[in-house]
Amino acid sequence: MNLLIVGSVAYDTIKTPHGDAKMALGGSATYASVASSYFCHPGIVGVVGSDFRTRDINLLKKRAVDLEGLQIDPRQKTFHWSGFYEGDMNQANTISTDLNAFASFSPTIPQKYEKAKAVLLGNIHPALQLEVLSQTKKAKLTLCDTMNFWISSEPKLVEKVFRKVDVICINDGEACQFTGTSSVPKAAGQLLKLGAKRVIIKRGANGVSIFGKGSFFSLPALPLTKVIDPTGAGDSFAGGFMGFMTSAGSQSEASFQKALAVGTVMASYCVQGFSCKKTVSLTKADIKKRLVELKKATTLPEIKL
Ligand code: AMP
């Protein structure tokens, strides 16, 4: 286990213009761990309820996700999120968020996780993200994600997390919401001032950018003609990004750029099916194929003026 992931492990009820799914396996830690498992050895810290299905445990085991830190609370139900997407599906509309087992969850981090090289704080209550961070001081790279739900309900705690991590990963609307500006580069600049080495701004179908102090790099999304369900795209991106960074073991500008490409590819597979249907059974060749496509789409010939 070299990448510790904390986040939601959930059942999702989702409606998109291409269909719906009831009580489908989801959650930020689920998507992130499955995506990262192609590059490193992830372990989850989280909780599920007594209703959590054996087949979902088996799916995570199939990807060799370490589950020692996943508690089962026999008195509770699993976290449940319900939402829908319309039109270009760039915006998730939440119908309900039932924290269930997460409402009273206090993480116990298995001893072997304390040595994790990297920590991915997936979208979950920021108090929980802080608790995990305080128990994993040896990590060389930490990344956090969040969403409007926590920015609105717990802005001070979200800021506390932002001040402690190496990489902030957030979508464009949420970056603007948090900083109170309508300019994405300005929002990224303000977030960098909190202390992070890099700020990643996700723009859904419009790609992703990474900002550092004096550095900037951007990639488009892969041009997919059919998106089935965008749920988990951000988490799969973060999982791919951190999975690659964990195995690369270097924090050079080139490593961050390659990780951005790997995250982009993992997100592209995620949105082509409900739940983890696509991302659970990829091959290295599938991943390489899209990395080549992305490289072709982003390499400029020499320009002489
Ligand atoms: P994404 O589409 O990458 O932002 O992630 C969607 C996943 O996040 C879904 O599988 C949900 O179960 C989960 N989710 C939705 N709302 C929350 C929340 N408030 N806290 C933690 N996880 C959530």
Side-chain angles (χ1 to χ4, degrees):
M1 212 290 302
N2 49 14
L3 172 64
L4 186 160
I5 299 177
V6 61
S8 51
V9 178
Y11 282 139
D12 292 343
T13 299
I14 305 160
K15 199 167 167 37
T16 83
H18 299 289
D20 51 44
K22 286 190 186 67
M23 300 298 274
L25 177 64
S28 53
T30 305
Y31 283 111
S33 60
V34 169
S36 68
S37 67
Y38 291 89
F39 316 99
C40 71
H41 304 293
I44 291 182
V45 169
V47 66
V48 292
S50 56
D51 56 343
F52 202 65
R53 298 174 294 238
T54 311
R55 72 162 191 259
D56 296 325
I57 294 273
N58 289 341
L59 181 146
L60 293 166
K61 281 190 180 159
K62 182 181 162 200
R63 290 301 323 146
V65 176
D66 192 300
L67 298 178
E68 204 181 310
L70 182 68
Q71 295 177 24
I72 300 175
D73 186 336
R75 297 152 303 153
Q76 297 280 356
K77 281 195 165 171
T78 299
F79 179 109
H80 179 246
W81 177 75
S82 162
F84 66 95
Y85 302 83
E86 292 172 317
D88 66 3
M89 295 192 272
N90 249 354
Q91 168 84 40
N93 301 290
T94 295
I95 298 170
S96 64
T97 303
D98 306 311
L99 295 178
N100 296 331
F102 269 100
S104 54
F105 175 60
S106 167
T108 324
I109 306 210
Q111 218 178 353
K112 69 178 186 201
Y113 287 21
E114 285 170 14
K115 291 189 209 118
K117 280 207 267 177
V119 175
L120 194 170
L121 305 171
N123 177 29
I124 194 63
H125 198 298
L128 194 49
Q129 295 180 318
L130 285 169
E131 243 182 278
V132 169
L133 216 45
S134 72
Q135 293 178 59
T136 50
K137 294 240 159 65
K138 290 197 183 110
K140 300 257 185 303
L141 188 69
T142 56
L143 172 146
C144 78
D145 192 0
T146 190
M147 72 181 286
N148 50 10
F149 184 86
W150 303 114
I151 294 172
S152 314
S153 57
E154 300 284 359
K156 291 217 170 80
L157 283 181
V158 170
E159 181 175 330
K160 229 173 160 180
V161 178
F162 284 174
R163 285 186 182 282
K164 286 181 191 277
V165 291
D166 299 311
V167 182
I168 298 172
C169 185
I170 189 168
N171 78 28
D172 46 0
E174 286 152 7
C176 292
Q177 177 193 358
F178 182 81
T179 54
T181 157
S182 55
S183 150
V184 168
K186 206 167 161 186
Q190 288 186 24
L191 288 169
L192 276 172
K193 280 196 189 133
L194 297 178
K197 292 179 193 154
R198 297 286 186 291
V199 171
I200 295 174
I201 307 279
K202 299 171 284 179
R203 294 193 175 95
N206 297 318
V208 64
S209 304
I210 186 163
F211 295 79
K213 290 168 188 118
S215 70
F216 168 74
F217 181 71
S218 212
L219 284 175
L222 282 140
L224 305 172
T225 49
K226 193 164 179 186
V227 169
I228 305 279
D229 172 24
T231 309
D235 308 313
S236 302
F237 168 85
F241 180 91
M242 283 301 275
F244 181 84
M245 288 303 291
T246 306
S247 71
S250 124
Q251 292 183 27
S252 66
E253 195 56 32
S255 294
F256 279 121
Q257 293 178 357
K258 288 179 201 172
L260 212 71
V262 170
T264 297
V265 165
M266 297 315 288
S268 78
Y269 279 115
C270 171
V271 302
Q272 291 191 300
F274 281 100
S275 188
C276 303
K277 213 170 161 190
K278 287 278 167 189
T279 46
V280 78
S281 51
L282 295 172
T283 61
K284 275 264 156 88
D286 295 325
I287 296 169
K288 278 188 190 154
K289 185 170 154 261
R290 288 203 174 167
L291 282 171
V292 169
E293 263 180 66
L294 198 57
K295 188 160 179 356
K296 261 196 204 158
T298 51
T299 313
L300 276 173
E302 197 189 333
I303 306 170
K304 283 197 181 128
L305 295 179

